[in-house]
Every structure is written in structure tokens, then in C-alpha cells.
Amino acid sequence: MSVGANIRKRRFELKMSQQELADAMGYKTRSTIAKIESGENDISQKKLQRIAALLETTVEALVAGSSPVDDEVPTLVRPDMEDGHRNAVIILAGGKSGRNKQNIPSQFINIHDKPMIVYCMEAYQVHPAIDDIYVVCLKGWEDIVKAYARQYRLTKLRGLIPGGSSGIASLKNAVDCIKKRYTPEDTIIIQEATRPLVNPETISKLLQVCAEKGSATTCHMMNDYVQFNVSGGKTQYVDRDSIVALQSPEAHRLSLILDVFDKARAQRHTLAESCCTMLMYNLGYPINFIEGGINNIKIVREEDLTVFSALVK
């Protein structure tokens, strides 16, 4: 059941009316509670915590519809290293943008009764070549992600990692947390939680190129558009076949990622890039591109949510 349905179910168990819950939350009318329960309105993490307390339950129970079991989602458990080469994915879900005009971060918005981050995690859960999933999580949302893992049987989730001040800082946090659990030749995939439509073909191709070259980054070819460079008052045509737009995911051998961060530290490089690939480019590393799916969109703005909803439906 959805969060709203679980709130309604628990409210019935306590024989509490919508108006009584609305009064306790400080709402003027019961309509806000009605919209939350129907799924018309999303609910912020802080308000969900307040509702859980008022309903004498937990956030996890309202999200997953069951009581939490602490050992069902282990935190940073060391994977079995006897299986040889391993492929792990780090899902970056530590950011929060206001451009979606919602009261919760994009990665936790429900689309067709499923949170966006779950679509992303499921893509790696079902892929046979992926061994382990880690989530860099926005502070305060850790228990909710654990509840999602139980609800949707995301058994490959190995741990939740605190986010940093930026995407690249969050990635460094994650790499520092897991690096002792893998060999230098293991593959680390880096995935944005706000690109939930990554498909199995892209993941497979990414792993293949990374195995051959040690690194691979997903991109979108710009050959469907005419491109112009406008600067200094001049307009210049740019060959569209020579332009690519960065996407996510990207995959690198762990040894390469460690070398990149070591080089950045040695050069006192400010970690201001948006992704690992841009950091590699700025430090002089070669970039290997693969073409991603046309529907591998990034969910940032309100209109992106509409497109994503239509594609999923």
C-alpha cells in the first residue's frame, strides 16, 4: 500500500477522524489529510515523522506498511569476496532541489504509487551482473529508504552512506566508506537517483566497456538537433555529430576512482564538479563514452515529473 493508504489504515485502527489528525497537525481543515491519504499530495519527511508520532507508529511502518526489523537491511555489510570480480553501484540520493515545485526531494516523489528512487534501485536489483547497491542518502531519509528496501524486496542493498556538500563530495564519502570491501579491479557504477529510467541494456554496455577500458560514461548524442555556439556577439555553427551531453550512470574500476581522488588531493583541486567524469576530464584523464537510452532523462523540474509519469505509464 502507499504511504497515504497506510496513514488511513493506522488512523482507522486508532478510531481517529481526518479532522482530529488535521487538528493535531495544525491544519485548518481535514482536506490536507484527505489529499495525503488519497495520494494527491506528497508529504515531507518532517511532517511524516510528526504524523507517525501522532498515530503512535513509525515512519517505516507508514512507508512499508509493517514494523521495522533492524537486521533486514544491514548497514555496510562486507560482501562475500570469494566470488571474484564484483560490480557495485553507488546511487547518489543526497541532494535536494526546489525546482520540482514539490515539498519533498525529487528522488522520493511517488510516481504511480512508487517512489522515484525505487525505480532506480530496481533497475540494479534485477540486473544479474550487479552484486551490491549502496545509497548516498539525504539526512533524515535513511529509515524511509530502509523501509523501501523491505517493501520492494531490494535485497542487494548493502548500506546507506551520508551525503556530502555536493554530488562529487557525496561520491568521495561513498568511496571512502566502501573501498576496503572491494579489490582494485572491481567495478563501481555511479548512478544519479534522479535518472530513474536507466535500462538493462545501458547497464550491460556500461559494464562491458568498463571491463575493456577501465572506464565508461553514458551520454546522449546530439545528432537530432542543430547546434550553434553564440559568444562574443558571433554565431558559429557546431557540427552536431561532434557533441555529446553527459548522462548517468558512469562506471570505473575502483583503482581508477581512487587514483583520481588521490590526484585531486595532491593538486589541491577543489571538488566542484558535478560528476566523476567531469573531475576526470579536468584532471586530464581520458573519457570513454557510450550512448544511453533516449528516455534516460534527469528529473529536475516539474515538467520532468510529467514526462517521467507518462513514460512509466
Side-chain angles (χ1 to χ4, degrees), residues 39-73:
E40 184 178 346
N41 281 7
D42 280 313
I43 181 170
S44 69
Q45 182 261 348
K46 288 184 179 180
K47 289 182 179 178
L48 186 58
Q49 287 179 330
R50 286 186 60 197
I51 288 179
L54 291 168
L55 295 178
E56 300 175 9
T57 185
T58 64
V59 169
E60 298 97 311
L62 293 181
V63 171
S66 60
S67 299
V69 181
D70 290 340
D71 59 0
E72 285 188 24
V73 183

Side-chain angles (χ1 to χ4, degrees), residues 43-275:
I43 181 170
S44 69
Q45 182 261 348
K46 288 184 179 180
K47 289 182 179 178
L48 186 58
Q49 287 179 330
R50 286 186 60 197
I51 288 179
L54 291 168
L55 295 178
E56 300 175 9
T57 185
T58 64
V59 169
E60 298 97 311
L62 293 181
V63 171
S66 60
S67 299
V69 181
D70 290 340
D71 59 0
E72 285 188 24
V73 183
T75 300
L76 294 178
V77 172
R78 182 181 179 88
D80 182 1
M81 300 302 289
E82 296 179 358
D83 294 341
H85 180 85
R86 298 187 73 83
N87 300 314
V89 58
I90 296 171
I91 298 178
L92 300 177
K96 184 176 182 179
S97 172
R99 287 180 287 175
N100 59 26
K101 297 184 180 180
Q102 304 286 323
N103 60 1
I104 65 173
S106 294
Q107 61 269 32
F108 298 108
I109 292 174
N110 276 288
I111 302 295
H112 301 301
D113 291 328
K114 185 184 294 186
M116 189 183 304
I117 191 173
V118 172
Y119 287 97
C120 188
M121 295 172 71
E122 282 182 334
Y124 292 95
Q125 172 70 30
V126 301
H127 197 289
I130 300 301
D131 299 293
D132 310 307
I133 299 172
Y134 298 91
V135 174
V136 177
C137 189
L138 184 65
K139 185 178 180 181
W141 291 83
E142 297 88 352
D143 289 341
I144 294 177
V145 173
K146 290 181 181 181
Y148 290 159
R150 285 190 293 273
Q151 181 180 6
Y152 294 96
R153 301 184 182 277
L154 302 171
T155 58
K156 293 181 182 179
L157 179 63
R158 306 298 182 217
L160 305 178
I161 300 165
S165 58
S166 64
I168 198 70
S170 292
L171 174 61
K172 188 176 187 306
N173 282 355
V175 171
D176 288 343
C177 283
I178 72 172
K179 62 185 179 184
K180 292 183 179 179
R181 296 172 170 81
Y182 298 92
T183 70
E185 296 305 305
D186 287 337
T187 301
I188 306 298
I189 295 177
I190 305 162
Q191 170 73 50
E192 294 174 300
T194 49
R195 284 193 189 270
L197 290 176
V198 58
N199 59 48
E201 293 77 14
T202 297
I203 296 172
S204 296
K205 188 174 181 181
L206 194 72
L207 290 171
Q208 178 184 353
V209 175
C210 185
E212 296 171 355
K213 301 182 179 181
S215 174
T217 297
T218 311
C219 72
H220 172 58
M221 306 300 292
M222 302 297 288
N223 52 13
D224 291 336
Y225 308 97
V226 176
Q227 303 292 325
F228 288 93
N229 177 28
V230 181
S231 62
K234 296 181 179 180
T235 301
Q236 184 178 5
Y237 171 76
V238 180
D239 182 3
R240 60 188 180 183
D241 292 332
S242 67
I243 301 174
V244 299
L246 285 182
Q247 289 187 344
S248 166
E250 52 187 302
H252 315 286
R253 288 197 188 112
L254 177 58
S255 58
L256 176 60
I257 296 176
L258 295 176
D259 186 69
V260 169
F261 281 120
D262 285 344
K263 186 174 182 179
R265 182 176 60 254
Q267 296 185 4
R268 297 182 179 180
H269 182 86
T270 301
L271 298 178
E273 288 80 6
S274 59
C275 62

